[in-house]
Amino acid sequence: MPYLMIAASLFTTDSIIKFWIERKKKDGEETPMANGKIVIKKYHNKGAMFDMGNKNQHNIAMLSLVFSAFMTGIFTATLEKQDKRLLKTGLAFIIGGAYSNTYDRLKRKYVVDYVSFHINTEKCRQKIVQKLAEKWNGVVFNLSDFGIFAGALILTLCTGAHEES
């Protein structure tokens, strides 16, 4: 049951934040925090990760739904196992985040992203590093993205730990 709570909490918290961002933030409005290193802003991602596939919103939404259902099947199959706590935790983070973003894709036709991390490009001495920093500054995330990333990291760690034992 705690694993279902992880997924539901991630979905609910991210949905509340997205609702607030949609209502309170204007397009292009940025609120810097932590000396400008973190920026809160509203961004509508019409594609997948890094706006890939933004011209094929329907296909991305269907792929997202299929992925979410597939991960739910794996999650459901692991719930009955007495051990595998890390596996279940990682899968809970992934499906909580996946369903939140999938819901956006199906209901809104875009995913609401709202947090960005900024690198001061003036301190970058090399042109290539400066270009990478500029690209990074344009990437916007949401809580579900962090949940999916955390879940994938946990799965990687538990798979690595399993292989060693």
Side-chain angles (χ1 to χ4, degrees):
M1 194 56 95
Y3 309 106
L4 293 175
M5 291 303 296
I6 291 170
S9 296
L10 178 57
F11 178 92
T12 303
T13 304
D14 193 44
S15 296
I16 290 168
I17 295 169
K18 288 173 177 178
F19 178 81
W20 185 86
I21 291 290
E22 286 288 273
R23 297 277 186 242
K24 300 293 183 183
K25 288 284 181 195
K26 295 177 184 158
D27 290 334
E29 176 187 357
E30 295 186 358
T31 305
M33 301 171 69
N35 295 323
K37 291 183 175 105
I38 299 172
V39 176
I40 305 300
K41 61 183 170 182
K42 177 168 66 171
Y43 181 73
H44 294 162
N45 183 348
K46 295 181 180 170
M49 199 171 45
F50 306 119
D51 249 349
M52 291 187 302
N54 62 0
K55 304 267 191 242
N56 298 308
Q57 294 169 332
H58 177 74
N59 292 341
I60 295 295
M62 290 302 106
L63 186 62
S64 183
L65 186 60
V66 167
F67 171 77
S68 298
F70 176 75
M71 294 307 291
T72 301
I74 294 171
F75 179 67
T76 303
T78 65
L79 279 178
E80 304 220 357
K81 298 186 184 272
Q82 293 300 321
D83 51 357
K84 308 287 186 193
R85 289 190 303 261
L86 274 179
L87 175 65
K88 291 185 264 191
T89 300
L91 289 169
F93 275 110
I94 290 172
I95 66 169
Y99 274 109
S100 179
N101 285 341
T102 299
Y103 175 82
D104 271 9
R105 286 187 179 99
L106 295 173
K107 176 124 172 100
R108 294 184 169 110
K109 308 297 183 219
Y110 55 83
V111 174
V112 178
D113 289 329
Y114 48 79
V115 65
S116 184
F117 302 96
H118 281 234
I119 299 169
N120 184 349
T121 57
E122 293 172 9
K123 293 184 179 182
C124 300
R125 292 191 180 125
Q126 297 176 333
K127 282 283 189 201
I128 191 160
V129 174
Q130 189 173 23
K131 290 272 189 204
L132 288 170
E134 287 170 3
K135 287 216 180 263
W136 173 256
N137 289 346
V139 178
V140 188
F141 302 94
N142 61 40
L143 186 61
S144 287
D145 297 334
F146 297 123
I148 293 167
F149 177 76
L153 184 61
I154 292 167
L155 289 183
T156 302
L157 293 174
C158 85
T159 301
H162 178 68
E163 288 176 0
E164 291 176 11
S165 56

